[in-house]
Amino acid sequence: MNLISKTMVATLGVALAATQLSAVSIVPQPSVMREDRSLVQLPSGRLSVYSGDPSLKHLVSVWADFLEKPYAPGTEKLSTGFTRVVSATVLPEVKSTGNESKADVRLYLDPSLAEEEYTLDVTPDGVVINGGSGKGVWWGLQTLTQILVQAASSAEPGEPLRTSGLYIQDKPHFSYRGAMLDCCRHFFTVDEVKKFIDILALHKLNTLHWHLTDDQGWRIEIEKYPLLTQVGAVRKETKVGHYNDAAAGYDGTPYGEGDFYTARDVKEIIAYASDRQITVIPEIEMPGHAVAALTSYPWLGCTGGPYEVRTTWGISDDVFCIGKESTFGFLETVLDEVCSLFPSEYIHIGGDECPAVRWKDCPDCQRRMKEEGLDDERQLQGYLLHRIEQYLNSKGRKIIGWDEILEGGVTPTATVMSWRGPQGGINAAKQGNDVVMTPNNYFYLDYYQTADPEANGEPLGIGGYVSLEKSYSFDPYDQLDDSTRKHIKGVQANTWTEYISSFDHLQHMDLPRFAALSEVAWSEERTAYDQFLARVTASMKPAYEYFGFIYAPYVFEGIE
């Protein structure tokens, strides 16, 4: 059932009245926001939108599609034990119009604004959004979405929507505002990935970091190496419960057959994200987390196998053999196909959690060390990463890697993603590398959200505790001076899916913590936490309910 009714055809009218409204809440906090607290009445019906530039017309249809997503009404008890609640109030239908004077919403480009900057004016004469580019206009439309949702959440079905007069001037503090989706441990369909992208857009996040290869499954089709998905996508069974719970055993059920993304799937997802002003960055893990690839092509490893796609989590000693030239031929061919699909400036090459034990006993790796004058096996990883970086640079791309790439010595052009707390990012920035902060103790969203997950009925998580307040408290500039702060390019949250087997569970882990991520990444000035929580409650919670997004209820119930 689509609750954004197609039958509402009355043209939107606006009228100024004396009624006073509660303050409008926006997440992330805008740079400048002024309310005159007068009433602007928005009768339910057709919202006509005028595009002041031909390039903006497509944005209108994308926004209309965004608002018209169907979802199921009512309250459902999910199998994982948490509750989904959605609202039955309706939002307006969006239609393009060529009549500027009669449009309810008018969109314009303003070259005086920065690329992602926008202004939004809500007056009795309608809504005007100016953007420095289509990106700025899109983020303005996301703010308008929150305004409409708040108006609808306080209205009875069929009753006119009302909001206050409002002026906003806003732009993001960081250019990189991301979330990582792990589709290797558990797979998500194309439609689910699209819904994840919609969730990012609602939070003004502009980067999807897509984790596509790992020990437990290879999820992207490579034409020249078909066994990667025929063999490497499938594990014979999956660990039950936590990794260190030996008594729990395995489920005995094969997982992953057919669970991979074709070139057509990838192009479809990239186009969908691009329409929503979101860049998709692929991650192809190397030299560790490679067992799915080794199982498909055993000659890629130091021992020659046999290998088996991992059925449990953790770290494997079996990694890519760096001594063989054939390994580099494989990796370069894979990256050629990846680059042909993904237009992103950056390619993520992993670089984390790679044991050197196999390299110690491998004659090929030892020969490589001698030829390259390397002092120990750890330097082999640096050799591979430098060589892969040069190859990607030759194709006009840049690399991002997890903070372990610092251990092998990185070039100044490599971007470091700091996950083992902020320190790796601090070290990288001080030596001149660009950094994306994604510390596990603030933004690993597979961690629990309450201090007592069992008592609070939380679904399974990896462990740890990252509350909404903890995420919100993160300072990306901690310990950095003005000369090094420029290297912090943004912030990202990671959702690893070892213990997350469904999309409902995934959303539960991400929401509402994405709201904290959004504000840390967007807002240069943040409010106190209690004010932030009040805005999340007034703005994002009803938005989740309108769009049928699953969210964890604990913080709204006073539980952290």
Side-chain angles (χ1 to χ4, degrees), residues 305-351:
Y307 304 104
E308 180 181 74
V309 177
R310 279 178 69 86
T311 58
T312 189
W313 322 123
I315 302 170
S316 173
D317 288 338
D318 290 309
V319 300
F320 285 121
C321 177
I322 297 179
K324 300 173 185 175
E325 277 301 301
S326 55
T327 300
F328 289 91
F330 168 84
L331 292 173
E332 290 172 4
T333 299
V334 168
L335 291 172
D336 285 345
E337 292 197 32
V338 168
C339 288
S340 72
L341 291 171
F342 290 85
S344 58
E345 178 183 16
Y346 289 97
I347 305 294
H348 202 300
I349 46 77

Coordinates of all heavy atoms in Angstrom, one line a residue, residues 305-351:
G305 N 46.8 -24.1 -1.7 CA 45.6 -24.7 -1.2 C 45.7 -26.2 -0.8 O 46.8 -26.7 -0.6
P306 N 44.6 -26.9 -0.7 CA 43.2 -26.4 -1.0 C 42.7 -25.4 0.1 O 43.1 -25.4 1.2 CB 42.4 -27.6 -1.0 CG 43.1 -28.6 0.0 CD 44.5 -28.3 -0.2
Y307 N 41.9 -24.5 -0.4 CA 41.3 -23.5 0.5 C 39.7 -23.7 0.5 O 39.2 -24.4 -0.4 CB 41.6 -22.1 -0.1 CG 43.0 -21.8 -0.2 CD1 43.6 -21.8 -1.5 CD2 43.8 -21.5 0.9 CE1 45.0 -21.5 -1.7 CE2 45.2 -21.2 0.7 CZ 45.8 -21.2 -0.5 OH 47.1 -20.9 -0.7
E308 N 39.1 -23.1 1.5 CA 37.6 -23.1 1.6 C 37.1 -21.8 2.0 O 37.7 -21.2 3.0 CB 37.3 -24.2 2.6 CG 35.8 -24.4 2.8 CD 35.4 -25.4 3.9 OE1 35.6 -25.2 5.1 OE2 35.0 -26.5 3.5
V309 N 36.1 -21.3 1.3 CA 35.5 -20.0 1.7 C 35.1 -20.1 3.2 O 34.5 -21.1 3.7 CB 34.2 -19.7 0.9 CG1 33.5 -18.5 1.4 CG2 34.5 -19.7 -0.6
R310 N 35.6 -19.1 4.0 CA 35.4 -19.2 5.4 C 34.0 -19.3 5.9 O 33.1 -18.5 5.4 CB 36.2 -18.0 6.1 CG 37.7 -18.3 6.2 CD 38.4 -17.1 6.9 NE 38.0 -16.9 8.3 CZ 38.7 -17.5 9.3 NH1 39.6 -18.4 9.0 NH2 38.4 -17.2 10.5
T311 N 33.7 -20.1 6.8 CA 32.4 -20.3 7.4 C 32.2 -19.6 8.7 O 31.1 -19.6 9.3 CB 32.1 -21.8 7.6 OG1 33.0 -22.4 8.4 CG2 32.1 -22.5 6.2
T312 N 33.3 -19.0 9.2 CA 33.2 -18.3 10.5 C 33.9 -16.9 10.3 O 34.4 -16.6 9.2 CB 33.9 -19.1 11.6 OG1 33.7 -18.4 12.8 CG2 35.4 -19.2 11.4
W313 N 34.0 -16.1 11.3 CA 34.5 -14.8 11.2 C 36.0 -14.7 11.6 O 36.7 -15.8 11.6 CB 33.6 -13.8 12.0 CG 32.2 -14.2 11.9 CD1 31.4 -14.5 13.0 CD2 31.4 -14.4 10.8 NE1 30.1 -14.8 12.6 CE2 30.1 -14.7 11.2 CE3 31.6 -14.3 9.4 CZ2 29.0 -15.0 10.3 CZ3 30.5 -14.5 8.5 CH2 29.3 -14.9 9.0
G314 N 36.5 -13.6 11.9 CA 37.9 -13.5 12.3 C 38.9 -13.3 11.1 O 38.5 -12.9 10.0
I315 N 40.1 -13.7 11.4 CA 41.2 -13.4 10.4 C 41.9 -14.7 10.0 O 42.1 -15.6 10.9 CB 42.3 -12.5 11.1 CG1 41.6 -11.2 11.5 CG2 43.4 -12.2 10.1 CD1 42.6 -10.3 12.4
S316 N 42.2 -14.9 8.7 CA 42.8 -16.1 8.2 C 44.3 -15.8 7.9 O 44.6 -14.7 7.5 CB 42.1 -16.5 6.9 OG 42.8 -17.6 6.3
D317 N 45.1 -16.8 8.1 CA 46.5 -16.7 7.8 C 46.7 -16.8 6.2 O 47.8 -16.4 5.7 CB 47.4 -17.8 8.4 CG 47.5 -17.6 9.9 OD1 47.4 -16.5 10.4 OD2 47.8 -18.6 10.6
D318 N 45.7 -17.3 5.5 CA 45.8 -17.4 4.1 C 45.5 -16.1 3.4 O 44.4 -15.6 3.5 CB 44.9 -18.6 3.6 CG 45.5 -19.9 4.0 OD1 46.7 -20.2 3.8 OD2 44.7 -20.7 4.6
V319 N 46.5 -15.5 2.7 CA 46.3 -14.2 2.1 C 47.0 -14.3 0.7 O 47.5 -15.3 0.3 CB 47.1 -13.2 2.9 CG1 46.5 -13.1 4.3 CG2 48.6 -13.4 3.0
F320 N 46.8 -13.2 -0.1 CA 47.4 -13.2 -1.4 C 49.0 -13.4 -1.4 O 49.6 -12.8 -0.5 CB 47.1 -11.9 -2.2 CG 45.7 -11.8 -2.7 CD1 44.9 -10.8 -2.3 CD2 45.2 -12.7 -3.6 CE1 43.6 -10.7 -2.7 CE2 43.9 -12.6 -4.1 CZ 43.1 -11.6 -3.7
C321 N 49.5 -14.2 -2.3 CA 51.0 -14.3 -2.4 C 51.5 -13.1 -3.1 O 51.2 -12.9 -4.3 CB 51.3 -15.6 -3.1 SG 53.1 -15.8 -3.4
I322 N 52.4 -12.4 -2.5 CA 53.0 -11.2 -3.1 C 54.2 -11.5 -3.9 O 54.7 -10.7 -4.7 CB 53.3 -10.2 -2.0 CG1 51.9 -9.8 -1.3 CG2 54.0 -8.9 -2.5 CD1 52.1 -8.8 -0.2
G323 N 54.8 -12.7 -3.7 CA 56.0 -13.1 -4.5 C 55.7 -13.4 -6.0 O 56.6 -13.3 -6.8
K324 N 54.5 -13.8 -6.3 CA 54.2 -14.2 -7.7 C 53.7 -13.0 -8.5 O 52.8 -12.3 -8.1 CB 53.1 -15.3 -7.7 CG 53.4 -16.5 -6.9 CD 52.2 -17.4 -6.8 CE 52.5 -18.7 -6.0 NZ 51.3 -19.5 -5.8
E325 N 54.2 -12.9 -9.7 CA 53.7 -11.9 -10.7 C 52.3 -12.2 -11.1 O 51.5 -11.2 -11.4 CB 54.6 -11.8 -11.9 CG 55.9 -11.0 -11.7 CD 55.5 -9.5 -11.3 OE1 54.8 -8.8 -12.1 OE2 56.0 -9.1 -10.2
S326 N 51.9 -13.4 -11.1 CA 50.5 -13.8 -11.4 C 49.5 -13.2 -10.5 O 48.4 -12.9 -10.9 CB 50.4 -15.3 -11.5 OG 50.7 -15.9 -10.3
T327 N 49.9 -13.0 -9.2 CA 49.0 -12.3 -8.3 C 48.7 -10.9 -8.7 O 47.5 -10.4 -8.7 CB 49.6 -12.3 -6.9 OG1 49.8 -13.6 -6.4 CG2 48.7 -11.6 -5.9
F328 N 49.7 -10.2 -9.2 CA 49.5 -8.8 -9.6 C 48.7 -8.8 -10.9 O 47.9 -7.9 -11.2 CB 50.9 -8.1 -9.8 CG 51.5 -7.8 -8.4 CD1 52.3 -8.7 -7.8 CD2 51.2 -6.7 -7.7 CE1 52.9 -8.5 -6.6 CE2 51.7 -6.4 -6.5 CZ 52.6 -7.3 -5.9
G329 N 48.9 -9.8 -11.8 CA 48.1 -9.8 -13.0 C 46.7 -10.0 -12.7 O 45.8 -9.4 -13.3
F330 N 46.4 -10.8 -11.7 CA 45.0 -11.0 -11.3 C 44.4 -9.7 -10.7 O 43.3 -9.3 -11.1 CB 44.9 -12.1 -10.2 CG 43.6 -12.2 -9.5 CD1 42.6 -13.0 -10.0 CD2 43.5 -11.6 -8.2 CE1 41.4 -13.0 -9.3 CE2 42.2 -11.7 -7.6 CZ 41.2 -12.4 -8.1
L331 N 45.1 -9.1 -9.8 CA 44.6 -7.9 -9.1 C 44.4 -6.8 -10.1 O 43.4 -6.1 -10.0 CB 45.5 -7.5 -8.0 CG 45.6 -8.4 -6.8 CD1 46.7 -8.0 -5.8 CD2 44.3 -8.5 -6.0
E332 N 45.3 -6.6 -11.0 CA 45.2 -5.6 -12.0 C 44.0 -5.8 -12.9 O 43.3 -4.9 -13.3 CB 46.5 -5.4 -12.8 CG 47.6 -4.8 -11.9 CD 49.0 -4.8 -12.6 OE1 49.0 -5.2 -13.8 OE2 50.0 -4.4 -11.9
T333 N 43.8 -7.1 -13.3 CA 42.6 -7.4 -14.2 C 41.3 -7.1 -13.4 O 40.4 -6.5 -14.0 CB 42.7 -8.8 -14.6 OG1 43.9 -9.0 -15.4 CG2 41.5 -9.2 -15.5
V334 N 41.3 -7.5 -12.2 CA 40.1 -7.2 -11.3 C 39.8 -5.7 -11.3 O 38.7 -5.2 -11.5 CB 40.2 -7.9 -9.9 CG1 39.1 -7.3 -9.0 CG2 40.1 -9.4 -10.0
L335 N 40.9 -5.0 -11.0 CA 40.8 -3.5 -10.8 C 40.4 -2.9 -12.1 O 39.7 -1.9 -12.2 CB 42.0 -2.9 -10.2 CG 42.3 -3.3 -8.8 CD1 43.7 -2.9 -8.3 CD2 41.2 -2.8 -7.8
D336 N 40.9 -3.4 -13.3 CA 40.5 -2.9 -14.6 C 39.0 -2.9 -14.7 O 38.3 -2.0 -15.1 CB 41.1 -3.7 -15.7 CG 42.6 -3.4 -15.9 OD1 43.1 -2.4 -15.3 OD2 43.3 -4.2 -16.6
E337 N 38.4 -4.1 -14.4 CA 36.9 -4.2 -14.5 C 36.2 -3.4 -13.5 O 35.1 -2.8 -13.8 CB 36.5 -5.7 -14.4 CG 37.0 -6.6 -15.5 CD 36.3 -7.9 -15.6 OE1 35.1 -8.0 -15.2 OE2 36.9 -8.9 -16.1
V338 N 36.7 -3.3 -12.3 CA 36.1 -2.4 -11.2 C 36.1 -1.0 -11.7 O 35.1 -0.3 -11.6 CB 36.8 -2.6 -9.9 CG1 36.4 -1.5 -8.9 CG2 36.6 -4.0 -9.3
C339 N 37.3 -0.5 -12.2 CA 37.3 0.9 -12.7 C 36.4 1.1 -13.9 O 35.9 2.3 -14.0 CB 38.8 1.2 -13.0 SG 39.9 1.4 -11.6
S340 N 36.2 0.1 -14.7 CA 35.3 0.3 -15.8 C 33.9 0.5 -15.4 O 33.0 1.1 -16.1 CB 35.4 -0.8 -16.8 OG 34.8 -2.0 -16.3
L341 N 33.5 0.0 -14.2 CA 32.2 0.1 -13.7 C 31.9 1.3 -12.8 O 30.9 1.9 -12.8 CB 31.8 -1.2 -12.9 CG 31.7 -2.5 -13.7 CD1 31.6 -3.7 -12.7 CD2 30.5 -2.4 -14.6
F342 N 32.9 1.6 -11.9 CA 32.8 2.6 -10.9 C 33.5 3.9 -11.4 O 34.7 3.9 -11.6 CB 33.4 2.1 -9.6 CG 32.6 1.0 -8.9 CD1 32.8 -0.3 -9.2 CD2 31.6 1.3 -7.9 CE1 32.1 -1.3 -8.6 CE2 30.9 0.3 -7.3 CZ 31.2 -1.0 -7.6
P343 N 32.8 5.0 -11.5 CA 33.4 6.2 -11.9 C 34.1 7.0 -10.7 O 34.6 8.1 -10.9 CB 32.2 7.1 -12.4 CG 31.0 6.6 -11.7 CD 31.3 5.1 -11.4
S344 N 34.0 6.5 -9.5 CA 34.5 7.2 -8.3 C 36.0 7.5 -8.4 O 36.8 6.7 -9.0 CB 34.3 6.3 -7.1 OG 34.9 5.1 -7.2
E345 N 36.4 8.6 -7.9 CA 37.8 9.0 -7.9 C 38.6 8.0 -7.1 O 39.8 7.7 -7.4 CB 37.9 10.4 -7.3 CG 39.4 10.9 -7.2 CD 39.5 12.3 -6.6 OE1 38.5 12.7 -5.9 OE2 40.5 12.9 -6.7
Y346 N 38.0 7.5 -6.0 CA 38.7 6.6 -5.1 C 38.3 5.1 -5.3 O 37.2 4.8 -5.5 CB 38.4 7.0 -3.6 CG 39.1 8.3 -3.2 CD1 38.4 9.5 -3.2 CD2 40.4 8.3 -2.8 CE1 39.0 10.7 -2.8 CE2 41.0 9.5 -2.4 CZ 40.3 10.7 -2.4 OH 40.9 11.9 -2.0
I347 N 39.3 4.3 -5.1 CA 39.1 2.8 -5.0 C 39.6 2.4 -3.6 O 40.8 2.7 -3.3 CB 39.8 2.0 -6.1 CG1 39.3 2.6 -7.5 CG2 39.5 0.5 -6.0 CD1 37.9 2.3 -7.8
H348 N 38.8 1.7 -2.8 CA 39.3 1.2 -1.5 C 40.0 -0.1 -1.7 O 39.4 -1.0 -2.3 CB 38.1 1.1 -0.6 CG 38.5 1.1 0.9 ND1 39.3 0.2 1.5 CD2 38.1 2.0 1.9 CE1 39.5 0.5 2.7 NE2 38.8 1.6 3.0
I349 N 41.2 -0.3 -1.2 CA 42.0 -1.5 -1.4 C 42.2 -2.3 -0.1 O 43.0 -3.2 0.0 CB 43.3 -1.2 -2.1 CG1 44.1 0.0 -1.5 CG2 43.0 -0.9 -3.6 CD1 44.8 -0.3 -0.2
G350 N 41.4 -1.9 1.0 CA 41.5 -2.7 2.2 C 42.8 -2.4 2.9 O 43.1 -1.4 3.4
G351 N 43.6 -3.5 3.0 CA 44.9 -3.4 3.7 C 44.9 -3.7 5.1 O 46.0 -3.5 5.8

